[in-house]
Amino acid sequence: MKLEGKTAVVTGGSRGIGRAVCIELAQRGANVVFCYASGEEAARETLSLCDAGRAAGDTGKTCMARCDVAKAEDVKALMDFAGKTFGRIDILVNNAGVTRDGLLMKMKEEDFDRVIAVNLKGAFLCMKEVSRLMMKQRYGRIVNVSSVVGLHGNAGQMNYAASKAGVIGMTKSMAKELGSRQITVNAVAPGFIDTDMTAGLSEEYVKKMTEAIPAGRIGSARDVAQAVAFLASDLAGYITGQVLLVDGGMGM
Ligand code: NAP
């Protein structure tokens, strides 16, 4: 799964799964351009971890930029920067995501809109920007980060579930649109992963969730990153339009 000479753009790389993806791709030799929303300090840490993880003699580079994926002008600037710096974009990982949980009766309209704007529209904007370049290159690997919640739903996460189900629909549609240009588009659907996003959950809830996972443990960001690296590699060249569950068997 070597990625030398490839350039990857990863959204939401400052923390959690996105950070692990950046490190995984850098370890395999890719140039990595990642963005963050506001966590500059955390982003700098990701940058150092990527550089520290590179093999001796690896000439790959890591760059970071601030970008709100819900804003078209930010996304354009990010992709222009990556394209101009490295001449091509081979891999796009749409990872940036947020939650604004609440039961339907209590969910504010802005909580619905923001989750859709970041998780769903953000992925749309990023794919739209890179697809032109990837079509010209006749090569591309797009990996969208969905969730098991997008497949099964979850009480209190109607907005999030809608965004993640939408990501799956977009993934399959884009796979059909871009397939003939040697561009694959796949999704990963993580289960319960240990990151800031799940850090606020009660001990009791975490225990109950863990008991329902056949693998008997909560997933790590690296578990997801390794699956993303596979789908981003040449080993997965004939896999497209798929949703790979990275959930320890939870979603069976
Ligand atoms: P996290 O720890 O909360 O990290 C979220 C990342 O997204 C951060 O880097 C954050 O940047 C960035 N981000 C948020 N809003 C953004 C925006 N508008 N524009 C650009 N970047 C933005 O989350 P995570 O758990 O790693 O989740 C990563 C992805 O996996 C998400 O799509 C999430 O829905 C999905 N997922 C997670 C789990 C889980 O159990 N953790 C399960 C299934 C799916 P800042 O640091 O600047 O805020």
Side-chain angles (χ1 to χ4, degrees):
M1 293 211 306
K2 294 237 179 292
L3 297 172
E4 283 140 1
K6 304 273 199 262
T7 295
V9 174
V10 181
T11 65
S14 48
R15 294 181 281 123
I17 293 170
R19 170 183 283 179
V21 168
C22 292
I23 294 170
E24 200 67 37
L25 301 183
Q27 274 175 353
R28 295 171 194 284
N31 296 310
V32 177
V33 178
F34 72 88
C35 80
Y36 62 97
S38 58
E40 189 176 338
E41 206 175 308
R44 289 198 186 286
E45 213 175 299
T46 299
L47 195 80
S48 308
L49 289 167
C50 286
D51 288 342
R54 288 190 184 278
D58 175 6
T59 53
K61 290 194 169 38
T62 316
C63 306
M64 61 184 238
R66 214 201 67 77
C67 162
D68 179 350
V69 295
K71 291 187 181 153
E73 64 274 21
D74 278 23
V75 170
K76 186 174 184 329
L78 174 70
M79 300 307 173
D80 282 354
F81 168 68
K84 277 180 190 142
T85 307
F86 296 108
R88 53 190 290 127
I89 300 174
D90 302 285
I91 299 162
L92 167 65
V93 183
N94 279 313
N95 163 79
V98 291
T99 50
R100 298 275 189 281
D101 297 350
L103 295 171
L104 172 64
M105 296 303 282
K106 289 188 175 166
M107 188 175 287
K108 294 191 187 108
E109 192 178 339
E110 62 256 36
D111 292 336
F112 183 86
D113 287 347
R114 185 62 186 161
V115 168
I116 297 293
V118 175
N119 299 6
L120 186 60
K121 187 179 160 194
F124 153 72
L125 291 171
C126 291
M127 285 197 281
K128 189 171 158 72
E129 275 303 322
V130 298
S131 62
R132 205 170 300 131
L133 189 55
M134 285 183 174
M135 280 166 81
K136 232 190 270 172
Q137 292 169 179
R138 291 192 160 264
Y139 183 91
R141 296 275 182 273
I142 299 176
V143 185
N144 295 320
V145 181
S146 177
S147 167
V148 289
V149 171
L151 292 164
H152 302 295
N154 196 21
Q157 289 200 302
M158 184 268 264
N159 50 356
Y160 183 76
S163 72
K164 294 300 184 180
V167 162
I168 291 173
M170 281 198 318
T171 299
K172 290 175 185 282
S173 303
M174 292 310 297
K176 288 184 176 178
E177 277 188 35
L178 300 174
S180 65
R181 307 291 180 109
Q182 314 313 315
I183 300 167
T184 65
V185 189
N186 291 290
V188 290
F192 193 5
I193 309 298
D194 184 16
T195 69
D196 290 350
M197 195 174 265
T198 48
L201 299 169
S202 73
E203 229 173 87
E204 194 192 339
Y205 183 79
V206 173
K207 190 169 172 279
K208 208 176 106 197
M209 293 299 290
T210 311
E211 279 165 6
I213 301 172
R217 67 173 176 88
I218 290 170
S220 68
R222 186 157 186 247
D223 287 325
V224 182
Q226 288 176 330
V228 171
F230 166 65
L231 291 172
S233 76
D234 284 338
L235 294 183
Y238 200 54
I239 300 173
T240 195
Q242 301 304 304
V243 183
L244 178 57
L245 273 72
V246 188
D247 65 348
M250 182 185 166
M252 273 191 292

